[in-house]
Amino acid sequence: MDSATSLPFTLSPNASPVSAQRRAEILANPGFGRVFTDNMVVIRYEEGKGWHDARVQPYASLTLDPAAAVLHYAQEIFEGMKAYRTAEGGITLFRPYANAARFRKSAERMAMAQVPEELFVEAVRQLVRVDHAWVPGNPDESLYIRPFMIASETFLGVRPAGEYLFMVIASPVGAYFGAEAVSVWVSDFCRAAPGGTGEAKCGGNYAASLMAQQEAKTHGCAQVLFLDAVERRWIEEMGGMNVFFVFDDGSVSTPALTGTILRGITRDSLLTLAREMGLTVREERYGIDQLYADAASGRLKEVFACGTAAVVSPIGRFCGRNGDAVIGDGAGIGPVTEKLRNALIGIQRGTAADPHGWVEKVI
């Protein structure tokens, strides 16, 4: 066993946490990603020494040298996952080892130190246990957990860093989108190209999407859809979310993983659930022109986005330079989308059976 997987954690939690009254006020309307819990996890890496100094400590600002490698060469990766409060008051995580495995793949692509999967998951457990009072209990609310790693070595030179910080922070959150279907802008910008970092969960991919997101807002859209970088016709993914299509024969389709699309854990879970429901599922290329034609003919009945933050969110309209494509009634959630969403949420929140062992009880 890698010695890093059994690192002892020094517990030095915040001696002046937010008061119970103030925390209750925050949890009554948590928003998304603006308020953070009392503590965080910090683990250090140094080439030749490995992972060491694992700590749970008060949430605080970082002190970085101006020449820290992350600031100049963007060696940075992150994950997004959630902790849920069950009806019985317990707290669970959803597929934490899948996040840990994807984190390792992202680190490999960005030439960063590998965090052992058990160490990754244990760091998340430690923070959730210390800050368990921050986990909301209302429907559509959860504790959003952000593990991330940055290159902290001080140097100027184009090479992989030899020092890293792995950290975990958390934020109580409500629904990312509301219950109504959203409108999506079909962007002329590209998110990722073959051979690039599209499959890695690194900040640069999201930075590259921000101008497109701004453009979407100017057109009254909540999200953006990216096409492939080569032919500019094949649908890939949205700004941080995967996308699914439901057709009039009840079949479900999503773009195939080609190295430019993030391997969404929610995506993978929904594919499994759809097959278990007896739906015909395809992972295949789907063109934007075909989407417009299928929406007009009625063949395309439902479209939804999925991801850790949004979970499952219906899409009612695609907008672009070629006009609008309305999906269904353009406003509500379709029956297949709703069924898949309820099945996933039921497992995540412990109200449905978990035959795959996706849920881990932390408390």
Side-chain angles (χ1 to χ4, degrees):
M1 178 184 292
D2 188 324
S3 60
T5 63
S6 56
L7 272 182
F9 280 75
T10 300
L11 301 181
S12 304
N14 198 324
S16 301
V18 170
S19 69
Q21 179 181 348
R22 176 57 183 147
R23 187 173 60 244
E25 292 172 357
I26 294 169
L27 293 181
N29 185 23
F32 201 100
R34 293 188 175 275
V35 180
F36 297 88
T37 64
D38 294 303
N39 298 285
M40 62 185 184
V41 170
V42 180
I43 310 177
R44 299 180 182 275
Y45 177 91
E46 186 177 339
E47 202 169 58
K49 188 175 182 179
W51 292 103
H52 62 281
D53 194 19
R55 296 178 176 272
V56 178
Q57 62 187 59
Y59 185 96
S61 299
L62 294 179
T63 300
L64 282 177
D65 192 284
V70 64
L71 301 177
H72 301 271
Y73 308 111
Q75 271 192 296
E76 180 272 350
I77 59 173
F78 66 95
E79 274 297 321
M81 53 199 300
K82 287 180 176 178
Y84 301 89
R85 189 174 297 279
T86 66
E88 295 76 25
I91 297 174
T92 61
L93 299 172
F94 182 72
R95 302 190 67 181
Y97 284 94
N99 289 99
R102 188 170 65 180
F103 196 78
R104 282 180 63 94
K105 292 293 291 183
S106 295
E108 180 182 10
R109 178 62 183 86
M110 301 301 289
M112 301 175 76
Q114 299 281 304
V115 179
E117 292 177 19
E118 187 59 48
L119 179 61
F120 176 103
V121 175
E122 183 58 28
V124 172
R125 293 185 190 118
Q126 291 279 350
L127 183 61
V128 172
R129 287 171 182 152
V130 169
D131 281 338
H132 64 88
W134 284 92
V135 182
N138 294 326
D140 293 328
E141 295 181 350
S142 55
L143 185 70
Y144 185 84
I145 304 165
R146 171 54 59 87
F148 66 101
M149 178 164 58
I150 63 172
S152 55
E153 184 182 0
T154 301
F155 76 98
L156 296 179
V158 183
R159 63 166 174 81
E163 297 176 14
Y164 297 93
L165 289 177
F166 171 64
M167 304 181 65
V168 187
I169 58 176
S171 171
V173 298
Y176 194 79
F177 293 124
E180 295 183 355
V182 299
S183 294
V184 173
W185 178 254
V186 181
S187 180
D188 291 328
F189 291 101
C190 294
R191 175 189 171 273
T197 61
E199 199 173 55
K201 199 165 177 67
C202 61
N205 291 342
Y206 294 79
S209 75
L210 296 181
M211 184 176 288
Q213 295 276 24
Q214 285 182 323
E215 183 182 44
K217 287 186 177 181
T218 66
H219 290 278
C221 295
Q223 259 294 333
V224 62
L225 179 74
F226 292 103
L227 307 179
D228 75 290
V230 178
E231 297 183 64
R232 308 297 288 273
R233 61 180 288 204
W234 303 109
I235 294 169
E236 293 213 323
E237 66 174 286
M238 295 168 60
M241 289 168 279
N242 296 116
V243 60
F244 277 74
F245 310 96
V246 182
F247 298 95
D248 57 2
D249 61 359
S251 65
V252 177
S253 171
T254 192
L257 299 175
T258 60
T260 59
I261 298 174
L262 187 69
R263 292 179 176 270
I265 294 164
T266 306
R267 173 190 183 276
D268 180 71
S269 304
L270 290 168
L271 286 171
T272 298
L273 293 174
R275 291 185 177 109
E276 291 175 348
M277 291 175 182
L279 299 174
T280 298
V281 177
R282 297 184 300 274
E283 297 180 66
E284 61 184 4
R285 295 200 300 181
Y286 187 48
I288 189 63
D289 291 342
Q290 190 64 53
L291 181 149
Y292 271 73
D294 288 344
S297 70
R299 177 174 179 259
L300 182 59
K301 293 296 186 183
E302 304 172 39
V303 184
F304 62 87
C306 68
T308 299
V311 189
V312 173
S313 181
I315 296 171
R317 183 184 303 267
F318 288 91
C319 308
R321 307 202 185 280
N322 296 324
D324 293 0
V326 178
I327 311 301
D329 64 7
I333 186 170
V336 174
T337 302
E338 186 171 30
K339 187 175 182 181
L340 286 168
R341 180 181 186 275
N342 290 343
L344 180 62
I345 291 175
I347 294 172
Q348 290 173 333
R349 296 190 172 277
T351 60
D354 177 26
H356 303 284
W358 285 342
V359 173
E360 176 182 313
K361 186 174 181 180
V362 178
I363 293 177

